[in-house]
């Protein structure tokens, strides 16, 4: 591999850890990212002549840390800042790498919580997390979410400024604050995965790159927080959902419904990983949280050899528990689908109509899956004219071209 190619590959892998370690020194995520980029530039200048180091990641880390400490030295008196940072500087050469890798992991965990701080909007948290922890460029994030690159760049810049202005400490919170902040972290990872798993807009149903980024972040977080059951539960959910990715679309990109997917092509390794993660979450005890319940539902699907063999009664019961824990019209809609499979389409339609007539109906007014589900239930009941109208309405609500084509095809078929 050419030196510049090695630099880019190593930096993409090590970027999050480098930024995290440097941010602990300078206490500013924006400056930490700039210093990490400085280390990248230094490598691009030196490696073509000196050769790629035996441990390129350590070289980048040491270079970035040295520049961070030089910056601190310029800002404060040498002795005072040495005491604050708590390390001895050598005047010759970069500082040595820490022997304990857990030290870096602690830094990475701090970076996770800072990137998902509640002072930021949800869009800013997502963009900053993908930038700092996912290693994506601004252009890659923009293309993934189908927004202008300038919009993403502004979100990231404003997020860094907001963190600096709020004086957000570079630390892992504890107690009640940690629980609240962890919920934000898990939400961001889940949002990233869902946007990749079922894109809200655009020409493609799937954006596998986003699914992979979210899954990688979930795995990292479960390694950093091994005693948090919902962290393992989220990892389990994403592993199980990702196991079906290859079968969710036909070769031409057309969506394939769950009932029609080739289960022999489901990724058994991801399913095993998901079940193992769910087992770890359960072993930690406590009342199952929302991600644990969703992972249990995904496990029911993964364990069924055919669509007809799915334990729909258990899935409906799990959705009932999920609705009691986190009330949501979307959860109620999913429960109605499960009830229709367990008890018949008439029972499911009654739940959907009750949902549409209540407060949840207003919340789902622009949600294309409400008429889509209703159309499916009406078709199963033989009420084809009504079903066709619902599919047409659903097609008009979705912003995803692949889903629109599928709904229009179902309407035309009726």
């Amino acid at each position: 591999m050419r030196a510049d190619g090695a630099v880019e590959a190593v930096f993409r892998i090590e970027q999050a850890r480098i930024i995290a370690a440097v941010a602990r020194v300078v206490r500013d995520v924006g400056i930490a990212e700039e210093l990490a980029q400085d280390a990248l530039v230094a490598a691009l200048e030196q490696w073509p002549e000196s050769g790629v180091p035996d441990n390129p990641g350590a070289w980048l880390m040491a270079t970035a840390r040295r520049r961070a400490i030089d910056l601190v030295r310029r800002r404060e008196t040498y002795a005072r800042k040495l005491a604050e940072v708590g390390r001895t500087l050598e005047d010759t050469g970069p500082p040595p790498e820490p022997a304990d890798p857990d030290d870096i992991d602690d830094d990475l965990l701090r970076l996770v919580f800072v990137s998902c701080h509640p002072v930021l909007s949800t869009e800013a948290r997502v963009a900053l997390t993908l930038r700092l922890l996912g290693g994506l460029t601004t252009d890659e994030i923009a293309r993934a979410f189908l927004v202008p690159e300038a919009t993403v760049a502004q979100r990231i810049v404003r997020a860094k400024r907001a963190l600096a202005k709020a004086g957000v400490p570079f630390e892992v919170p504890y107690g009640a604050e940690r629980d609240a902040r962890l919920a934000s972290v898990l939400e961001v990872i889940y949002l990233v995965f869902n946007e990749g798993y079922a894109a809200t807009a655009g020409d493609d149903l799937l954006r596998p790159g986003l699914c992979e980024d979210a899954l990688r972040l979930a795995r990292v977080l479960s390694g950093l927080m091994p005693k948090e059951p919902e962290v393992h539960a989220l990892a389990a959910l994403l592993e199980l959902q990702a196991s079906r990715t290859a079968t969710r679309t036909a070769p031409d990109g057309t969506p394939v419904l769950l009932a029609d997917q080739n289960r022999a092509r489901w990724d058994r390794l991801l399913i095993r990983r998901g079940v193992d993660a769910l087992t770890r979450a359960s072993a930690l005890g406590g009342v199952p949280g929302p991600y644990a319940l969703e992972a249990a539902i995904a496990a029911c699907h993964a364990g069924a050899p055919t669509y007809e063999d799915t334990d729909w009664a258990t899935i409906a019961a799990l959705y009932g528990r999920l609705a009691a824990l986190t009330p949501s019209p979307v959860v109620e809609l999913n429960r109605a689908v499960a009830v229709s499979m367990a008890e018949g389409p008439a029972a499911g339609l009654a739940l959907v109509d009750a949902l549409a007539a209540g407060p949840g109906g207003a919340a789902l007014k622009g949600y294309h899956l409400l008429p889509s589900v209703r159309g499916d239930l009406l078709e199963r009941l033989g009420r084809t004219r009504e079903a066709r109208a619902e599919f047409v309405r659903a097609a008009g609500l979705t912003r995803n071209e692949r889903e629109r084509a599928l709904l229009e095809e179902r309407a035309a078929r009726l």
Side-chain angles (χ1 to χ4, degrees), residues 257-274:
L257 300 176
L258 179 63
D260 301 323
Q261 290 175 16
N262 180 2
R263 298 186 176 219
R265 295 182 58 222
W266 285 3
D267 192 317
R268 309 316 299 182
L269 175 60
L270 291 181
I271 290 174
R272 286 197 299 273
R273 290 179 64 105

Side-chain angles (χ1 to χ4, degrees), residues 23-41:
R24 177 157 56 90
V25 178
V26 299
R27 302 289 172 175
D28 187 301
V29 171
I31 294 175
E33 186 182 14
E34 291 175 6
L35 292 172
Q37 291 289 338
D38 286 347
L40 171 64
V41 172

Side-chain angles (χ1 to χ4, degrees), residues 121-382:
S121 67
T122 299
E123 294 82 2
R125 292 179 217 169
V126 169
L128 194 60
T129 299
L130 287 174
R131 173 72 172 160
L132 300 182
L133 293 158
L136 274 68
T137 65
T138 304
D139 176 60
E140 288 171 333
I141 299 171
R143 282 190 281 111
F145 286 93
L146 303 179
V147 296
E149 185 176 354
T151 300
V152 173
Q154 288 175 354
R155 288 176 184 172
I156 293 173
V157 169
R158 289 171 182 168
K160 294 174 185 176
R161 288 176 181 168
L163 292 174
K165 184 177 180 180
V168 174
F170 192 71
E171 62 185 20
V172 176
Y174 294 94
E177 184 185 0
R178 174 170 173 162
D179 293 339
R181 294 270 295 279
L182 180 58
S184 173
V185 171
L186 298 179
E187 178 191 26
V188 165
I189 296 175
Y190 195 31
L191 283 172
V192 173
F193 182 87
N194 280 342
E195 184 58 32
Y197 194 71
T200 54
D203 297 330
D204 299 312
L205 179 70
L206 299 174
R207 295 177 193 150
L210 281 179
C211 291
E212 293 167 5
D213 290 324
L215 190 52
R216 184 172 70 253
L217 291 174
R219 289 169 179 169
V220 168
L221 192 61
S222 63
L224 297 176
M225 307 184 73
K227 295 183 180 180
E228 292 289 346
E230 275 294 84
V231 172
H232 293 298
L234 176 63
L237 174 59
L238 302 195
E239 300 276 9
L240 291 165
Q241 294 286 69
S243 71
R244 306 201 297 263
T245 300
T247 63
R248 295 192 66 239
T249 56
D252 64 354
T254 303
V256 178
L257 300 176
L258 179 63
D260 301 323
Q261 290 175 16
N262 180 2
R263 298 186 176 219
R265 295 182 58 222
W266 285 3
D267 192 317
R268 309 316 299 182
L269 175 60
L270 291 181
I271 290 174
R272 286 197 299 273
R273 290 179 64 105
V275 171
D276 289 344
L278 185 57
T279 300
R280 286 194 294 273
S282 301
L284 290 169
V287 178
Y291 295 113
L293 293 172
E294 289 195 54
I297 292 169
C300 283
H301 287 297
T306 67
Y307 185 76
E308 292 72 23
D309 291 329
T310 305
D311 188 350
W312 290 106
T314 295
I315 291 176
L318 287 169
Y319 271 123
R321 293 172 62 186
L322 184 61
L325 186 63
T326 55
S328 160
V330 174
V331 172
E332 288 293 351
L333 183 61
N334 287 328
R335 185 172 76 88
V337 173
V339 168
S340 77
M341 298 303 299
E343 303 176 16
L349 184 61
L351 292 175
V352 170
D353 287 345
L355 175 63
L364 296 178
K365 185 177 180 180
Y367 189 52
H368 71 283
L369 289 183
L370 177 60
S372 175
V373 167
R374 194 168 188 275
D376 183 71
L377 296 174
L378 289 168
E379 181 181 7
R380 288 165 58 191
L381 288 168

Side-chain angles (χ1 to χ4, degrees), residues 11 18 34-44 59-60 63-64 67:
F11 187 76
I18 294 171
E34 291 175 6
L35 292 172
Q37 291 289 338
D38 286 347
L40 171 64
V41 172
L44 287 170
W59 191 99
L60 288 168
T63 301
R67 296 185 180 217

